[in-house]
Amino acid sequence: MSNDYRNTKYDPLFSDLKLKKADVEKLVKERHPRSKDMHKYISINGGQFKKEFVKSYNGKCAYCGVSIDIIPMSLFQIDHFVYQKSAEFSGSKAAAGSIDNLVLACGNCNHNKRDFFVPSNEREHLHPDNEYICSTFVRDNNYYIKIADKQIPNEVVKKYYEKLKLDLEIHRLDYLLMSMIGLQTKLTDKHPAYLMLGQAIDLLKNKRNVMA
């Protein structure tokens, strides 16, 4: 997805998410042939299924874009995009835990979103797996996540944005940190800026942890 607010210029694009997630589902079913609730297996910390699911999202929260370069994988959670207790699942954990309804989220985004219900007619441009998310939310010139102009009148988008707290300063700091980390990976350890950049990254990470 080009012009993705979750990516810096150094990050790989989100691509083929449905295919990658289908591969994770296939892996689960190879080991657990009768499995239907993918969440049950993919959410296990330290497990191979979660590791593969995280790889599908390039190690980034599907909502705010924070990466495993900043917070450990153990703090990432497997979110039900349509929350598990929604009436549309009729109490079925298997239905709620289908691979298409699972999304990689940092702990903060998963906690903030909780039981927010996205109406079916709004999901196309709010589901983070869809390319339309890139025209729903954008980065402004100061690196804050904002609602795209054409979506400002949409009350569901506004409530979703507020529920996830995408306007927080920490998301701006994360973006700047990821940009610095990305730049550092392009330098050799002999580059005069390499050490200084590493020190700045460490300082910002400490500030980030205090804010979180």
Side-chain angles (χ1 to χ4, degrees):
M1 301 178 190
S2 59
N3 300 317
D4 193 322
Y5 71 94
R6 298 164 294 187
N7 285 339
T8 73
K9 66 180 181 179
Y10 302 104
D11 297 324
L13 300 178
F14 286 104
S15 63
D16 300 322
L17 266 171
K18 289 186 178 180
L19 292 175
K20 291 175 182 177
K21 288 167 67 174
D23 286 342
V24 177
E25 180 180 35
K26 182 179 178 181
L27 183 61
V28 172
K29 289 189 173 182
E30 284 176 354
R31 301 185 189 178
H32 306 279
R34 297 183 180 180
S35 59
K36 292 183 179 180
D37 178 8
M38 294 296 107
H39 185 271
K40 176 181 178 181
Y41 299 97
I42 295 172
S43 61
I44 299 173
N45 263 330
Q48 185 61 30
F49 304 134
K50 181 176 179 180
K51 291 178 182 177
E52 292 303 318
F53 195 80
V54 169
K55 287 180 185 178
S56 297
Y57 284 90
N58 299 331
K60 297 171 71 69
C61 173
Y63 296 112
C64 72
V66 67
S67 80
I68 57 176
D69 290 327
I70 296 176
I71 60 175
M73 188 185 300
S74 61
L75 296 183
F76 281 82
Q77 300 169 359
I78 312 303
D79 175 51
H80 296 86
F81 177 70
V82 178
Y83 69 97
Q84 187 175 4
K85 294 184 179 179
S86 171
E88 71 180 70
F89 297 127
S90 303
S92 170
K93 287 188 177 181
S98 68
I99 197 72
D100 290 337
N101 193 45
L102 302 183
V103 171
L104 185 66
C106 67
N108 285 337
C109 283
N110 195 24
H111 174 75
N112 292 338
K113 180 175 165 286
R114 289 194 295 275
D115 58 354
F116 184 84
F117 181 74
V118 181
S120 58
N121 63 318
E122 300 285 359
R123 292 175 192 172
E124 184 176 53
H125 55 269
L126 284 176
H127 196 299
D129 289 1
N130 294 338
E131 62 181 10
Y132 302 107
I133 194 74
C134 302
S135 56
T136 301
F137 303 114
V138 297
R139 288 275 174 182
D140 68 9
N141 292 332
N142 293 313
Y143 311 114
Y144 288 100
I145 302 173
K146 297 291 186 182
I147 300 174
D149 289 345
K150 68 178 182 179
Q151 292 290 355
I152 289 176
N154 188 318
E155 286 300 316
V156 175
V157 170
K158 181 179 178 182
K159 290 177 181 177
Y160 183 88
Y161 176 81
E162 292 172 349
K163 185 75 172 177
L164 280 166
K165 299 182 180 180
L166 293 177
D167 61 330
L168 290 182
E169 178 76 23
I170 196 168
H171 299 314
R172 177 176 183 252
L173 180 56
D174 285 343
Y175 186 83
L176 294 172
L177 256 174
M178 290 187 294
S179 295
M180 293 168 68
I181 292 169
L183 174 59
Q184 190 184 41
T185 63
K186 301 297 181 182
L187 305 176
T188 68
D189 56 5
K190 295 181 180 179
H191 192 284
Y194 185 89
L195 181 59
M196 186 180 300
L197 191 56
Q199 293 172 338
I201 289 170
D202 289 340
L203 285 172
L204 283 177
K205 278 187 176 181
N206 288 334
K207 180 178 179 181
R208 195 257 180 214
N209 290 335
V210 170
M211 292 174 66

